[in-house]
Structure formats: C-alpha cells, structure tokens
Amino acid sequence: MRQELSAEQPLSAGEVCMHTVRCFQPPAATGCCHAMSGDSDCTRTSPSAGSPSDPEALPDRPQYVCSLSADLVTKAREELQEKPEWRLRDVQALRDMVCKDYPSLGTCLDDAFLLRFLRARKFDYDRALQLLVNYHSCRRSWPEVFNNLKPSAIKPVLESGFVTVLPRLDPEGRHVVCIRPDRWTPSHYPITENIRAIYLTLEKLIQSEETQVNGIVILADYKGVSLSKASHFGPFVAKKVIGILQDGFPIRIKAVNIINEPRIFKGIFAIIKPFLKEKIANRFFLHGSDLNSLHQNIPPVILPEEYGGTAGKLDISAWNELLLASEEDFLHDFSQLVLPCDSSPHDMPVSGDADEKQCDDSLRGMKPQLYYCY
C-alpha cells in the first residue's frame, strides 16, 4: 500500500529508479524492464544525476501531464484513492517494485502506462503489481489471441459489426462497448478472432485517462445465438476470458447489460457465475427482450434505434476507422511487451491459479447443461 510521506521529503535512490524511461522508444533507450544488468535502466539513475522535478536532467523521459478535468480529479481522489500530489511518487513506487521483483518482465514503465494499473486497483501497490504481472502472463499464455495483434489483422471482425463502441458517453462519462455475437459466422474465422477484436477495443479505450477513472459499460445483444454457436465458447475459452477481464486487464467494467438472451445463456451464466468475483457478478443485468429494463441502465438518448434509442441507426464505421487508424500506435506499444529469452510465462504467478483446477472441473459439465437449457 501507499506510504504517506511528507511532500517536502526528498526522494531516495530507490524512488527515482527508472524515471528516465519511455515506452515507445527502441529497446536500447526504453523504459521497458528487461533482464537486469549492472548498467540496466533500473540502476543507472540516482539523485545526483537529477530528480524527477529536473526535466533538463532527463531529456528523454516523456513528461506525464494529467488530462483529467477538475471533476474527474475529484472523482479519482474519492473513488480510486488517487492523490494528485502523490501520483508520480506512487508510480515510482510501482516501478521500483517491478524492477526489484520482476526484472525480466519486459514491460513498459512509463508513468502513463503504470498509472492504468494503479487506478484499476485503487492505488494499492501490491494489487497493481499483480495486475501488471497477470496482464503479461495472459498475453504470453494465449498466442492464438495475442500473436500479430493489430487492428488490420482483425478487420473482418470489425467489418462484421461484432464489436463496436457507441459514439456517445453515458451520463457517468463511460463508453458503451456493444457486442453482437449474432454477427459472427463461425465458418469464416475462429472465436479467438472475436476475442482479439474485443481486446484491441479495450486497449484503445484504456488509453484515455477519463476511461481509466470512469470505467466502461458493456452491452451484449445475444439475439439469434444458437446452441451450435454457443458451443464455441467452451471451458478453455471461458476460463481465459474470465481471467483476462477480472485479473489481467487494467479496466473498470462497471456494468454488463445482456439483452435478447436465449434460455441457453442463463445456463452458461449459471455455470460461469461461481468463478466471477462477487462484485463483477453483481454488475450483470439480464434484460431479455425488455428494452424498458435496458433503458433504466442505459438512457435511450445514447442508444441506437435498434435498442429503442434516439441516437439514430447503429453506425460501426466511426469506431472501425478510429481503431484502424491506430495501427502504428499499437505496433509501437505492443513491440515493448515482449517475452525475454531467459524467461517464460511460467515464471510469473497469476492471481487465481489456485482456483483453475476447480474451474476446469466445473466447466467440464457445461456442454451437457447447455443442451439441457436449450
């Protein structure tokens, strides 16, 4: 947890570790934490070489500038325990922990990048560190999803309309991610392509500090989802997706609204629910075909006509164009999240591993129950 220090107290040598780094630079000059050496990024700076408040001494370091409005700064203080006066020192504390405990993690150590994880775990250092480790472990343990992950690679999924983001924010300032499984044709590409598209959508959204504070809302329309299509969401995929969304990605999912769900979905949810954290499980809302129920959670003014809203027809083109235009940003960003040659995913413990066997055993019974529900 955060240590409450005096604002006038000078930084120690450990507190200035890795303050010169940048995520989007080539590896030789980045702040990505690779295998440690005597002159590694984690050890080469010291108070005598310049302090974080001395930008001339650290010319290559990207200077973090908060983009939050005054209202969101207040919200972050109240809900996330984020204190602007301690923000960079909290980031430095997390950076020190990465350098000390996971020197071969291969992660970006920029202020802005690490802030995502601190905010997602309410500035609890230990939990933020575990989330960062899980983030990398999830990426390295599922190559079918994370290899060659870039917007152009999932263009067919985007064009199908399987996932998009509504153009208007909800009253709480949250983006609404719209997922429509009926737009997917299994014979065209595997279910992992859909997961890749959702993951890139979340990666794009979380770049915004406003989203880091406000979180997101999910709207999933299960109209037309058959038993054969649902069967693609098997035990392996279910466990992986739950692991990423709960413990492996720095985003706050504030609500999951399910509409037009068939009876089969209730069977799926009954099986998955025991493995959801109580806080997340309580944020699922099953509306069926009752649009009035949906409108109690998402106002009609931001919804498209397809869902009883007044925001016109659902337009997927704007989000697709935005995501595809971010290709270079993703290539720069993801190029820093590499697996060093002297480490493996098994070197990094993932939170929740102790429950995996229980999860596997319970999910094995999913298919028979799906047939029963159907």
Side-chain angles (χ1 to χ4, degrees), residues 94-107:
L94 178 58
R95 185 181 292 119
D96 291 344
M97 294 171 71
V98 174
C99 292
K100 177 178 180 292
D101 297 335
Y102 298 95
S104 298
L105 186 58
T107 188

Side-chain angles (χ1 to χ4, degrees), residues 107 113 158 186 189 240 250 298 337:
T107 188
F113 182 76
L158 297 177
Y189 46 80
K240 288 285 191 180
I298 305 178
L337 307 179

Side-chain angles (χ1 to χ4, degrees), residues 304-323:
E305 295 175 4
E306 290 85 342
Y307 303 121
T310 59
K313 295 288 186 180
L314 179 60
D315 180 15
I316 66 173
S317 60
W319 178 254
N320 289 355
E321 291 171 5
L322 178 64
L323 199 59

